[in-house]
Amino acid sequence: MPAPHRTGFQLPLKWLGMAPFALFTFLFLLLPTLYIVVGAFRTPLGEFTFQNILDLNTPSIRSAYWVSIKVSVLSALFGCLIGFGMAAAVTLGSLPKWLRNPLMTFSGVASNFAGVPLAFAFIATLGPAGLITIWLRKEFGINVRAYGWNLLSTWGLIITYLFFQIPLMILIIAPALDGLKREWREAAAMLGATGGQYWRMVALPILFPSLLGTFALLFANAFGAVATAIALTGPSLNIAPILLYAQIRGDVLGSPNLGYALAFGMIVITGIANAVYIWLRARSERWLK
């Protein structure tokens, strides 16, 4: 006997588990983003305009974007260099293999450790009255502030960001390092290549898309960070996330739509960085399969 014919749209049961996540994403990611994008091109009366975008070309906003880009680029650069060295040491180097699991576990935790707890940890350790600051002054007579060190500054923020940038680099680049085939190194050695030539001519060209893509991801990760910067420096450092936070609170700018334009600019920059990461990650995976 043939099964009864069912009409109408039916959602497969296997998709029901995704429904809460899809609803959460729509309400708290897609809908606010769309609201910001639309608001960036509207006047307070609801009329279409490009003036909000043009108003971003002011000294304070340009400076905020520039400092944010500087912090993001430098923290991503140092995060990539240090993280790559650590990942290579435990993956391909001569360090004990048992170190890898603790390092990866710590990286998984530290890459998500940010915001007020991270800012407090650095202030308590490297701040003006921090543990290491006082210890150096009492035990060795070294006053780090006399040498120009200030945690509540651009470089202080960069060093703080490295706490989660380095672990994130380790988590992403370790699988790419695992993908380097042993046969490639053996073939290079048989052809007379040294270790340095192997890395320069074989390994690094293959890893380059992964490295550049991870740099783009770390840049976006730092550019969008706001809680750590606010908790660490407060309003003393003029960066785009802090300026946007002040606008949301109504402290500066005085125009909600200009605030939307400021957020729209951040969305464009982080969106480009993430798109570059996804594209380069896809290219690198073709080599490492």
Side-chain angles (χ1 to χ4, degrees):
M1 181 176 179
H5 178 68
R6 297 180 181 179
T7 61
F9 175 77
Q10 292 182 350
L11 182 67
L13 292 178
K14 63 183 179 180
W15 290 100
L16 289 179
M18 291 293 295
F21 175 74
L23 180 62
F24 185 86
T25 302
F26 176 75
L27 291 177
F28 296 100
L29 181 61
L30 299 180
L31 192 61
T33 301
L34 181 62
Y35 185 78
I36 288 172
V37 173
V38 172
F41 295 94
R42 288 189 179 275
T43 66
L45 298 178
E47 300 174 350
F48 179 82
T49 182
F50 281 107
Q51 190 59 44
N52 298 320
I53 304 299
L54 297 177
D55 288 342
L56 294 178
N57 189 28
T58 61
S60 62
I61 296 179
R62 286 202 311 268
S63 175
Y65 273 116
W66 166 244
V67 175
S68 294
I69 292 173
K70 176 183 175 181
V71 170
S72 302
V73 168
L74 291 177
S75 66
L77 178 61
F78 290 125
C80 284
L81 292 175
I82 300 173
F84 179 81
M86 295 176 64
V90 299
T91 304
L92 305 174
S94 58
L95 290 179
K97 296 300 181 182
W98 61 265
L99 284 176
R100 173 165 179 158
N101 286 337
L103 178 64
M104 300 302 290
T105 301
F106 171 79
S107 297
V109 175
S111 62
N112 293 286
F113 184 64
V116 176
L118 178 61
F120 173 77
F122 270 81
I123 291 174
T125 306
L126 296 173
L131 177 65
I132 294 180
T133 305
I134 295 177
W135 177 72
L136 289 174
R137 185 168 62 244
K138 287 184 176 180
E139 297 296 330
F140 302 99
I142 300 175
N143 185 0
V144 293
R145 293 182 64 85
Y147 291 96
W149 165 249
N150 181 15
L151 180 65
L152 313 181
S153 64
T154 301
W155 278 105
L157 187 61
I158 291 171
I159 291 175
T160 304
Y161 279 3
L162 288 179
F163 189 87
F164 56 79
Q165 294 282 66
I166 294 173
L168 183 59
M169 174 64 178
I170 294 173
L171 290 175
I172 296 175
I173 205 63
L177 291 171
D178 287 332
L180 292 175
K181 293 180 173 55
R182 182 179 178 182
E183 292 83 357
W184 297 343
R185 191 180 192 105
E186 293 175 348
M190 290 178 62
L191 293 174
T194 63
Q197 289 174 327
Y198 164 76
W199 276 100
R200 189 174 70 253
M201 299 178 182
V202 180
L204 287 180
I206 293 174
L207 292 173
F208 182 74
S210 294
L211 293 172
L212 191 58
T214 307
F215 175 85
L217 180 64
L218 264 62
F219 172 88
N221 190 43
F223 191 83
V226 58
T228 302
I230 292 175
L232 185 70
T233 65
S236 62
L237 190 62
N238 184 34
I239 61 175
I242 291 180
L243 191 62
L244 178 59
Y245 177 76
Q247 165 62 16
I248 293 174
R249 293 179 54 190
D251 295 344
V252 296
L253 299 180
S255 172
N257 295 93
L258 182 56
Y260 295 148
L262 179 64
F264 176 70
M266 294 183 62
I267 291 173
V268 170
I269 293 174
T270 54
I272 292 174
N274 281 292
V276 170
Y277 165 71
I278 294 172
W279 177 64
L280 290 172
R281 182 67 181 267
R283 285 177 58 90
S284 66
E285 286 177 351
R286 291 205 301 264
W287 276 96
L288 297 173
K289 285 182 180 179

